[in-house]
Structure formats: structure tokens, C-alpha cells
Amino acid sequence: MSAIESEPRERAVTCCGLATSPISEDDAARLAPVFKALGDPVRLRMASMIAAQPELCVCDITPAFDLSSGTVSHHLRLLREAGIVGSERRGTYVYYWINPEALSALSALLAVTEPA
């Protein structure tokens, strides 16, 4: 189970976000690895590149960074383990896409709502 998934699975965040109520201990433990994965500038850029497309081949990601292919794979693995991206191997290449549930959970947590 990735860091973004919860029990029950359909629950993204307990309620309303940081600006309206304290986050539960369970939600904090579940979402902290997602923020940790995005806390690295390389992984943040990779997630941004992937989110800008319906899907992106690793062959299009690797040239954008001055890193070895092994290091790029390491960063992509951490994004995948955190639940930020999904992937599928097709032949010799792996294709990545952003996990909309991950973005929804982060958006809900970071949303600022005006008081009524």
C-alpha cells in the first residue's frame, strides 16, 4: 500500500485541511511520506513533468536531468512508493502518470477556505 492510500481507501483526508482543523495522527503519518518525497527538488520537478502530461516515458524524463539513469530510476521509485505516480512497463520503457488521488489528498489538506 502506498503512503497516499488509506483505510478505508476512499477517504482522502479526514476533513477539511490544515487551515480549518488539526490533521489526525493517522492522516499525518500517511501523508508525511508524500511530502517527504516531494521535498526533494529533483522529485518535485519529475512529478511536475509527469503531471503536465497524460503519461510520460522514462526516456523523456531522463534527459531533463544531469543524473545517471540509475539515479533517475531511484527518484521515480520513491515517487511511486509514495503513491504520487503510477507506472507501467511497455517493452523496454516504463511510462509514468500522476496519481490523481495523491493530488486530491494534498489539495484537500492544503486548501484554504474562507470562514463563513
Side-chain angles (χ1 to χ4, degrees), residues 1 4-5 14 18 21 31 37 48 54-55 64 71 76 81 94 98 100 102:
M1 180 183 307
I4 202 70
E5 294 173 328
T14 301
L18 292 174
S21 63
L31 290 170
S48 175
E55 65 180 19
T71 301
L76 289 168
E81 288 175 353
V94 178
I98 204 74

Side-chain angles (χ1 to χ4, degrees), residues 74-89:
H74 167 76
H75 285 297
L76 289 168
R77 178 179 56 84
L78 293 176
L79 290 173
R80 195 175 57 249
E81 288 175 353
I84 298 165
V85 299
S87 66
E88 176 182 75
R89 178 171 292 283

